Amino acid sequence: MESQRSILIIAIAFVSYLLWQQWHADYGPQPVQPISQTQTDNVPAGVPSASSVSANNGTDEDVPVATNDSLPQAPVNSGNQQHYVTVQTDTLNVTINLVGGDVVHADLVKFPVTQGSEELYSLLRANAGLYVAQSGLVGQDGPDGSSEGRPLYQASAESYTLTGDTLSVPLTWSSNDGISITKTFTFSRNHNDVDVSYAISNNSGRTATFQQYAQLKQTTEEAEGGNMFMPTYRGAAYSTADNRYKKYSFDDIEDDKLRISTTGGWVGMLEHYFVSAWVPPQSETNSLYSRMLNGQYAIIGYTGTPASVASGQALELSSTLYLGPKDQDKLAKLAPGLDLTVDYGILFWISQPLFALLQFLHSLVGNWGVAIILITIIVKGAMYWLTKKQYESMAKMRNLAPKMQQLKDRFGDDRQKMSQAMMELYKKEKVNPMGGCFPLLLQMPIFLALYWVLLESVELRHADFVLWITDLSVKDPYFVLPILTGASMYLLQKLQPTTMTDPMQQKIMQFMPVAMSIFFIWFPAGLVLYWLVSNVITLIQAKIIYASMEKRGIK
């Protein structure tokens, strides 16, 4: 198998894969378009009702349904009473609606929208493309499942700022019959996970029953999303005891309501580099659910195990809300499978060790671009023996070309005799016809795994390299890397001899470096840097291999 044909096959396979990803993006989950404040005030809340929450046995009746028709509107402020509180920490700027105690806005302090911008990336938002994290208590006595609407909590301050290692934001509510609830958000320094707990005190004179619920809700239309050059997923996901990570797109939510009972688990909404997730108590049985409201608002959430508290007694329930980047190390500590939201696909078992190696190299050199160069050198060096076998096998096949032509002239159209003669020739010359292809097939999973590492890793977002390349997660602004990559492919073509006689094949191969340079224009600079370094190393390895072959008499 000739080297040029190998390059052509790789390029066609790679572009076909990207086209498939684009098709999936076009007909899969669609991104969210900003909507006006007026619209957000009339969005169905989709809060579970007391009557619909029960022990999950897999029936439709067990899926929580909306009990109120609109998102609770905050009453007009009166005196010192405020209906929104803000929280500022070193990682999050959060706004909490006192109606229900929902997190309706969350800015990621360490992640600006664009590099150098003062505007922070908003993961949750209520005004532009609804995306909120709701939580509360339903069940027989839960205030969030009441027909009177969701509870209005009270707060002791309008704003809170983290000054120590932790910050607690308590919200209080009391019923007319003696039930009091304190919903507390606990923030920690250098953490994107928030502990949400409920301290319930029952002085009603009867046993009260509560059930914790939490859900993420967002619109399913958006202006931005992945493309064929950067295929990314935007949608929901969940985890169960039997399935550590499962995507559940907006189309899936619309077509089939999620109804799963599991020990532990989690639910989340995913973007390219960021994730929001509710993590319930991992030792309890939780019911995961999803639904679509008005064909426009996707919800994924969970309800916990019903809990009873006798009169005069107290009860505490809790869950964890994560709002932040796809940091694999931190996510893995929160819940099993949550780190898999950094989606490397079926090659995760290769990608995860490669990412660990990339992290280690960065810890040594302090520059992600240099770390990419080093990991490419290491990977290409480790696969040198495969490359050598590939080149030697292709050289032997080229040397057999005259004898192959003689067989064609001798046997003409008799394919059976031609095949037998070819097998005898391969056996006599000790040449494996698959020798040039098999090493290539072994290398492809590693190259694709490294591709996904560089595409999915939030660490490369706004990561500086050198000179004009100040962000490895976006395209080269001056297209220098794509041009150099195309030039390196051209040099590889010139270095490797060819026996192609078909003019059309020759033209395709000559145009391939130009076509790949055009494709690489839209690729993130980190990916193009990896491909360029890989080509340069291949050039060096090819020169070494050819020199060794010449010494052994292999032309």
Side-chain angles (χ1 to χ4, degrees):
M1 180 179 181
E2 296 204 17
S3 178
Q4 286 85 354
R5 291 182 180 179
S6 301
I7 296 174
L8 179 61
I9 290 173
I10 294 173
I12 293 174
F14 186 66
V15 172
S16 299
Y17 175 73
L18 294 177
L19 289 172
W20 178 86
Q21 289 282 354
Q22 182 62 32
W23 180 91
H24 180 69
D26 289 340
Y27 295 97
Q30 299 297 318
V32 188
Q33 283 186 357
I35 58 177
S36 67
Q37 178 64 48
T38 303
Q39 287 175 301
T40 64
D41 289 339
N42 295 311
V43 176
V47 176
S49 66
S51 60
S52 65
V53 178
S54 61
N56 194 316
N57 59 14
T59 63
D60 287 340
E61 288 75 12
D62 298 324
V63 180
V65 296
T67 59
N68 37 0
D69 295 330
S70 63
L71 194 66
Q73 298 187 27
V76 179
N77 292 341
S78 175
N80 294 327
Q81 187 182 32
Q82 300 292 328
H83 297 283
Y84 291 90
V85 295
T86 59
V87 182
Q88 294 185 345
T89 75
D90 62 327
T91 57
L92 294 167
N93 288 343
V94 167
T95 300
I96 301 173
N97 188 350
L98 294 182
V99 178
D102 297 333
V103 180
V104 296
H105 194 92
D107 289 339
L108 305 183
V109 173
K110 297 181 180 180
F111 296 90
V113 174
T114 56
Q115 192 173 33
S117 170
E118 295 183 358
E119 182 182 359
L120 301 179
Y121 188 89
S122 294
L123 182 60
L124 299 184
R125 59 230 171 227
N127 295 336
L130 180 76
Y131 184 3
V132 296
Q134 297 180 307
S135 59
L137 297 173
V138 289
Q140 181 179 343
D141 298 282
D144 289 275
S146 170
S147 59
E148 298 177 359
R150 303 185 65 201
L152 173 61
Y153 287 94
Q154 303 297 316
S156 59
E158 299 178 21
S159 61
Y160 297 81
T161 303
L162 176 69
T163 55
D165 291 333
T166 61
L167 170 65
S168 294
V169 179
L171 311 179
T172 59
W173 174 87
S174 298
S175 68
N176 295 328
D177 59 355
I179 294 177
S180 61
I181 297 172
T182 300
K183 182 176 184 178
T184 304
F185 294 82
T186 303
F187 301 82
S188 300
R189 183 170 297 278
N190 200 33
H191 279 252
N192 287 82
D193 52 295
V194 183
D195 180 73
V196 182
S197 63
Y198 303 87
I200 305 169
S201 178
N202 180 17
N203 295 306
S204 64
R206 58 181 174 79
T207 298
T209 302
F210 302 89
Q211 189 170 9
Q212 185 177 197
Y213 90 95
Q215 62 186 27
L216 298 161
K217 177 172 61 178
Q218 69 167 307
T219 52
T220 58
E221 301 173 356
E222 167 143 78
E224 297 183 11
N227 54 58
M228 68 173 291
F229 304 105
M230 283 194 60
T232 58
Y233 174 74
R234 183 183 183 92
Y238 67 89
S239 173
T240 67
D242 298 325
N243 193 336
R244 293 179 62 207
Y245 172 67
K246 176 68 174 178
K247 290 180 181 177
Y248 209 69
S249 70
F250 294 147
D251 283 344
D252 291 333
I253 293 175
E254 187 169 17
D255 295 339
D256 185 21
K257 292 180 180 179
L258 177 66
R259 301 179 299 277
I260 296 179
S261 181
T262 180
T263 300
W266 52 262
V267 294
M269 289 285 189
L270 278 57
E271 299 180 1
H272 185 188
Y273 291 121
F274 306 103
V275 59
S276 63
W278 280 108
V279 182
Q282 294 298 287
S283 60
E284 299 180 5
T285 299
N286 304 292
S287 299
L288 311 186
Y289 65 87
S290 72
R291 59 180 172 274
M292 185 72 68
L293 299 176
N294 299 339
Q296 187 178 6
Y297 305 100
I299 290 177
I300 188 166
Y302 83 91
T303 54
T305 302
S308 298
V309 53
S311 179
Q313 300 297 313
L315 172 69
E316 185 166 336
L317 302 172
S318 66
S319 62
T320 300
L321 172 63
Y322 182 86
L323 303 169
K326 294 179 180 178
D327 187 317
Q328 296 182 62
D329 295 333
K330 293 181 179 179
L331 293 173
K333 295 177 182 178
L334 289 178
L338 192 55
D339 57 319
L340 296 180
T341 54
V342 183
D343 192 359
Y344 296 139
I346 60 174
L347 297 176
F348 71 93
W349 53 281
I350 302 177
S351 296
Q352 288 180 340
L354 286 175
F355 176 73
L357 176 59
L358 185 66
Q359 276 186 313
F360 172 73
L361 294 173
H362 176 261
S363 69
L364 297 179
V365 299
N367 184 297
W368 285 106
V370 176
I372 291 173
I373 295 174
L374 292 178
I375 196 173
T376 309
I377 293 173
I378 292 172
V379 170
K380 290 290 291 183
M383 293 190 295
Y384 173 75
W385 66 279
L386 282 173
T387 305
K388 185 178 180 181
K389 286 184 176 292
Q390 176 189 351
Y391 276 61
E392 289 181 350
S393 179
M394 290 189 297
K396 292 178 181 179
M397 287 295 294
R398 284 194 293 269
N399 290 337
L400 288 181
K403 295 181 179 180
M404 294 290 290
Q405 186 60 46
Q406 291 176 6
L407 292 179
K408 290 181 181 179
D409 296 339
R410 180 179 176 182
F411 294 106
D413 295 332
D414 192 335
R415 292 186 178 182
Q416 184 176 357
K417 291 184 178 181
M418 178 67 182
S419 297
Q420 292 175 349
M422 287 173 57
M423 291 299 103
E424 291 176 0
L425 178 63
Y426 291 147
K427 185 176 182 180
K428 178 182 178 182
E429 299 291 338
K430 298 181 179 179
V431 174
N432 182 359
M434 296 297 294
C437 183
F438 184 66
L440 191 66
L441 294 177
L442 290 179
Q443 297 177 58
M444 283 304 294
I446 298 176
F447 287 135
L448 285 175
L450 189 53
Y451 163 83
W452 280 110
V453 167
L454 300 179
L455 179 64
E456 282 286 304
S457 300
V458 68
E459 288 80 1
L460 297 184
R461 186 179 188 266
H462 299 171
D464 190 17
F465 179 37
V466 293
L467 301 176
W468 70 94
I469 302 177
T470 59
D471 187 351
L472 289 169
S473 68
V474 299
K475 63 183 181 182
D476 183 338
Y478 300 112
F479 314 124
V480 175
L481 289 179
I483 293 173
L484 291 177
T485 303
S488 66
M489 292 185 64
Y490 176 78
L491 292 176
L492 274 173
Q493 281 190 357
K494 289 297 182 182
L495 180 65
Q496 298 166 347
T498 180
T499 57
M500 282 187 182
T501 57
D502 182 49
M504 180 60 67
Q505 288 185 353
Q506 291 178 352
K507 288 182 179 179
I508 291 176
M509 291 309 304
Q510 291 172 358
F511 181 73
M512 189 56 62
V514 178
M516 293 305 292
S517 294
I518 295 174
F519 284 131
F520 284 137
I521 285 176
W522 287 275
F523 273 51
L527 283 172
V528 184
L529 176 64
Y530 150 66
W531 203 282
L532 171 61
V533 175
S534 179
N535 283 352
V536 172
I537 296 173
T538 301
L539 277 168
I540 297 172
Q541 289 180 340
K543 293 288 289 184
I544 295 173
I545 293 169
Y546 288 153
S548 173
M549 289 164 55
E550 288 288 342
K551 290 181 181 180
R552 289 178 288 154
I554 303 176
K555 294 183 179 181

